[in-house]
Amino acid sequence: MSQSRRPVIAGNWKMNGLHEDGLALAKAVAAQAQQFDCDIVVCPPSTLLREIASVTADTGLGVGAQDCHQAANGAFTGDISAEMVRDTGATYAIIGHSERREYHNETDEIVKAKVKAAHTAGLVAIVCVGETEGQRDSGQTMSVIADQIEGGLPDTADAENIIIAFEPVWAIGTGRTASPEDAQEIHQHIRTVVSDRLGSAVGEAMRVLYGGSMKPANAADLLAQPDIDGGLIGGASLKSSDFLAIAEAVSK
Ligand code: PGA
């Protein structure tokens, strides 16, 4: 982490969390959200967004959706617009997660349209990029990530309304993580690509998170890298003690 960028620890609950447990988890995290030297965000399923945003208001906890549709409204059965997300009280949206790219065929073009919609609605977009194992094995990691950033970020993006999450697909939910050194090299690359695209001031200020099996046991080493500005955490965000232990690692 660098001194100049405020770290972000964001929890991606994915399709987990019924009303009672989800609310209890959010409250447990919110109770300590202001104790750490970082922004803390939870991204519950959309069914819980409004209530979690409401009960955690004024605690300093950020609340985000896991997706939003690119259109403002219309005949898109099952989808939720960015304005609807904002209307719940949430202020973030994860966009382009690899599970959306894989199971919902989201392309970089769609990601860009969603990021624009999120910005129009006043949401901070957490944009996910990352290579598959096959792409990694064939030496394409850097080019795949550069293409995802080139294709997924609108020209109007800046460090206030975008957070990038580098999530190697092979590390998500597998217990395998990129080594801190490999992750650092890729984060630095991401910063360079963003700087080339949006200017070096934006590249320097943008928060770039690591995601993919981040846990209390490996968080400190990853977060110690100069270009890793926090984490997007799946499995370990479902237990408040694990999630908060990762936030704690930011301060070390
Ligand atoms: P994981 O998920 O921490 O369970 O690997 C991370 C993510 O998909 O955002």
Side-chain angles (χ1 to χ4, degrees), residues 115-151:
V115 172
K116 283 186 183 167
H119 289 169
T120 302
L123 299 170
V124 176
I126 303 175
V127 181
C128 302
V129 298
E131 83 288 6
T132 62
E133 185 148 41
Q135 290 165 335
R136 177 189 191 226
D137 291 347
S138 56
Q140 295 177 71
T141 299
M142 296 303 194
S143 65
V144 164
I145 288 168
D147 287 350
Q148 288 173 334
I149 292 172
E150 291 289 344

Side-chain angles (χ1 to χ4, degrees), residues 12 14 97 99 167 171-174 211-214 232-236:
N12 174 11
K14 309 192 180 185
H97 189 280
E99 286 150 18
E167 299 207 306
I172 294 176
T174 60
S213 299
M214 193 186 256
L232 180 57
I233 294 120

Side-chain angles (χ1 to χ4, degrees), residues 76-134:
F76 301 102
T77 301
D79 278 311
I80 294 170
S81 74
E83 194 180 9
M84 289 170 180
V85 171
R86 186 68 193 89
D87 191 43
T88 66
T91 54
Y92 296 82
I94 298 172
I95 295 178
H97 189 280
S98 62
E99 286 150 18
R100 301 287 317 173
R101 293 178 190 259
E102 183 178 354
Y103 306 134
H104 298 266
N105 302 317
E106 291 192 3
T107 59
D108 292 332
E109 204 181 339
I110 293 173
V111 169
K112 187 196 273 189
K114 290 187 171 199
V115 172
K116 283 186 183 167
H119 289 169
T120 302
L123 299 170
V124 176
I126 303 175
V127 181
C128 302
V129 298
E131 83 288 6
T132 62
E133 185 148 41

Side-chain angles (χ1 to χ4, degrees), residues 58-249:
D58 307 323
T59 63
L61 181 71
V63 178
Q66 299 170 14
D67 177 46
C68 65
H69 197 273
Q70 60 271 37
N73 50 50
F76 301 102
T77 301
D79 278 311
I80 294 170
S81 74
E83 194 180 9
M84 289 170 180
V85 171
R86 186 68 193 89
D87 191 43
T88 66
T91 54
Y92 296 82
I94 298 172
I95 295 178
H97 189 280
S98 62
E99 286 150 18
R100 301 287 317 173
R101 293 178 190 259
E102 183 178 354
Y103 306 134
H104 298 266
N105 302 317
E106 291 192 3
T107 59
D108 292 332
E109 204 181 339
I110 293 173
V111 169
K112 187 196 273 189
K114 290 187 171 199
V115 172
K116 283 186 183 167
H119 289 169
T120 302
L123 299 170
V124 176
I126 303 175
V127 181
C128 302
V129 298
E131 83 288 6
T132 62
E133 185 148 41
Q135 290 165 335
R136 177 189 191 226
D137 291 347
S138 56
Q140 295 177 71
T141 299
M142 296 303 194
S143 65
V144 164
I145 288 168
D147 287 350
Q148 288 173 334
I149 292 172
E150 291 289 344
L153 258 50
D155 296 336
T156 50
D158 63 40
E160 303 296 313
N161 60 21
I162 293 260
I163 295 169
I164 292 181
F166 165 56
E167 299 207 306
V169 178
W170 51 269
I172 294 176
T174 60
R176 297 161 63 202
T177 48
S179 71
E181 297 72 25
D182 286 354
Q184 164 57 26
E185 197 184 337
I186 296 164
H187 280 236
Q188 200 173 30
H189 170 67
I190 290 172
R191 206 173 293 293
T192 305
V193 175
V194 172
S195 296
D196 289 348
R197 172 79 196 286
L198 299 169
S200 58
V202 176
E204 267 312 302
M206 190 161 287
R207 274 96 52 94
V208 184
L209 316 183
Y210 172 81
S213 299
M214 193 186 256
K215 314 266 179 230
N218 59 29
D221 286 346
L222 287 159
L223 294 168
Q225 302 298 317
D227 287 292
I228 300 185
D229 306 312
L232 180 57
I233 294 120
S237 71
L238 296 174
K239 209 169 142 198
S240 61
S241 55
D242 283 353
F243 187 55
L244 292 167
I246 295 173
E248 175 86 50

